[in-house]
Amino acid sequence: MPIPVTIADDSLMSRKAVRRAFPIEWEVDITEACDGKQALAAVESGKAEVLFLDLTMPELDGFGVLKYLHEHHTKTVVIVISADIQPEAKRLVDSLGAFRFLQKPLQSEQLREVLFEVGLI
Amino acid sequence: MNTLLSEEQRDALQELMNISMGQAANALARLISAKITLSIPKISAVTPHKFLAMLTKRTVWYTRQSFLGAIKGEVVAILSKDGCDAIALLMDYDLPLTQDTLNELLLELANILAGACLAGFAEQLSLKAKLSMPTIFMPAALRVEQYRWASTLIMEVEFKVEASHFDSKIVICLEEASVQTLLATLQQLLE
């Protein structure tokens, strides 16, 4: 059974970069979200066992998504992929229960390591 | 410019800028232990006349650095006079700044921001670009004819240092031929 994953990023190029970085053998059913609200909708409808989350997005930003998921004790594994890599952003992301913080541009090797740690591959 | 850049290309350029600026902001944030807020990158085409018109503010300092390689152009850093002292303190300069230490501070800031920004940009596109040393730029002494480009792509982003009034803008100007190289390379990232 493919795993339902959601890629939430307002940039088409970055969503493509995440897709490209997925290990080929990883069986996934991919949903794309262009903002935080769409990301939460994907989580609610069971399309995001894993959520790849950008921080700077319209409507609801990544921090808002994390906060909601944190408060609702959602089991979604969140991997933040961000261009804002300042210490403060990392701290906030950690405190909101994201599994990992990866920096853009995304390296496929790094993503593979994280997926391995979570036990997804 | 709207006809020159497709929606996808604009998105890609903005995102490349975002990522590069994120690296630049991180470099500065760590140096001065403060949080930096970034604006959404603005991408536009301007003529030299319009560009020079952007450079007439008395409330800011300007520096410029040219770069050569697969893409050619210039990076202009626009640094606010307001809040400069606060940044100087965070960077361990003695106050009051003298003309020499002020210049040193401006060039150092320009180098950190423009350097990290251009490096990030070139790296993501796998294009080589070598940045020269920055110099203090006096736009008042400049005439339009001194600009070698006719119309060009300008990418700008604003950095604000939280808890101080300091802000700065980094503007990357590309020569026309470089714009074509850039768009061709972008296409590969969009496939």
Side-chain angles (χ1 to χ4, degrees):
Chain A
M1 266 278 281
I3 304 169
V5 304
T6 293
I7 303 172
D9 199 308
D10 55 334
S11 160
L12 170 71
M13 185 185 73
S14 279
R15 293 197 302 274
K16 286 190 173 165
V18 176
R19 274 178 183 265
R20 259 202 302 264
F22 284 168
I24 340 163
E25 73 276 16
W26 198 32
E27 274 188 64
V28 281
D29 186 4
I30 304 172
T31 301
E32 292 193 8
C34 307
D35 60 49
K37 282 190 179 163
Q38 289 181 9
L40 285 184
V43 172
E44 299 287 344
S45 54
K47 289 176 181 158
E49 225 165 273
V50 186
L51 173 62
F52 297 93
L53 182 68
D54 179 30
L55 291 179
T56 332
M57 286 188 294
E59 298 293 329
L60 179 68
D61 67 10
F63 295 111
V65 172
L66 278 173
K67 204 160 167 258
Y68 181 91
L69 296 178
H70 194 58
E71 281 163 5
H72 291 76
H73 309 285
T74 319
K75 277 190 194 151
T76 299
V77 174
V78 185
I79 296 167
V80 168
I81 303 173
S82 172
D84 181 357
I85 51 173
Q86 293 180 56
E88 173 127 349
K90 285 189 186 171
R91 249 197 316 276
L92 199 50
V93 160
D94 275 348
S95 71
L96 289 171
F99 182 78
R100 264 301 178 282
F101 187 107
L102 296 179
Q103 67 179 64
K104 290 182 181 179
L106 183 62
Q107 310 289 330
S108 47
E109 259 323 294
Q110 268 185 333
L111 183 67
R112 176 180 278 278
E113 266 172 42
V114 171
L115 294 176
F116 183 74
E117 279 175 55
V118 198
L120 285 165
I121 54 167
Chain B
M1 185 51 60
N2 289 330
T3 50
L4 177 62
L5 281 183
S6 69
E7 206 38 56
E8 285 193 357
Q9 288 171 328
R10 178 177 297 270
D11 160 80
L13 271 182
Q14 277 191 338
E15 185 67 355
L16 286 176
M17 259 323 244
N18 253 333
I19 297 172
S20 316
M21 295 304 179
Q23 293 170 355
N26 186 45
L28 184 61
R30 284 174 186 274
L31 189 69
I32 64 177
S33 308
K35 193 178 169 235
I36 318 276
T37 316
L38 290 177
S39 70
I40 292 171
K42 221 162 71 185
I43 296 172
S44 50
V46 296
T47 58
H49 278 285
K50 275 194 190 153
F51 180 63
L52 284 184
M54 286 169 64
L55 306 180
T56 51
K57 282 210 247 159
R58 283 161 183 264
T59 50
V60 296
W61 307 105
Y62 299 96
T63 70
R64 73 194 288 199
Q65 282 171 275
S66 58
F67 54 90
L68 291 170
I71 45 172
K72 296 187 186 70
E74 279 193 77
V75 190
V76 175
I78 305 173
L79 308 148
S80 70
K81 291 184 181 174
D82 213 15
C84 237
D85 280 358
I87 299 298
L89 268 186
L90 290 169
M91 289 175 70
D92 289 330
Y93 279 80
D94 290 326
L95 290 184
L97 292 168
T98 64
Q99 191 59 50
D100 280 349
T101 55
L102 172 67
N103 284 355
E104 197 186 314
L105 171 73
L106 295 176
L107 296 177
E108 193 176 351
L109 282 171
N111 230 354
I112 294 165
L113 293 177
C117 169
L118 189 74
F121 200 76
E123 189 195 324
Q124 291 176 76
L125 289 166
S126 311
L127 293 172
K128 288 209 165 49
K130 196 173 174 310
L131 197 61
S132 66
M133 293 299 289
T135 51
I136 302 285
F137 180 25
M138 302 286 184
L142 196 79
R143 288 194 315 276
V144 170
E145 310 82 83
Q146 288 171 288
Y147 267 92
R148 19 166 215 234
W149 27 272
S151 162
T152 194
L153 191 63
I154 282 198
M155 298 177 279
E156 51 179 315
V157 76
E158 214 173 322
F159 292 81
K160 278 188 191 305
V161 178
E162 217 160 82
S164 94
H165 292 292
F166 183 77
D167 72 81
S168 90
K169 228 186 225 175
I170 297 293
V171 183
I172 300 183
C173 316
L174 289 172
E175 284 183 17
E176 212 149 8
S178 296
V179 175
Q180 297 314 318
T181 311
L182 178 72
L183 294 183
T185 317
L186 270 187
Q187 215 45 51
Q188 294 164 9
L189 291 177
L190 286 167
E191 267 153 23

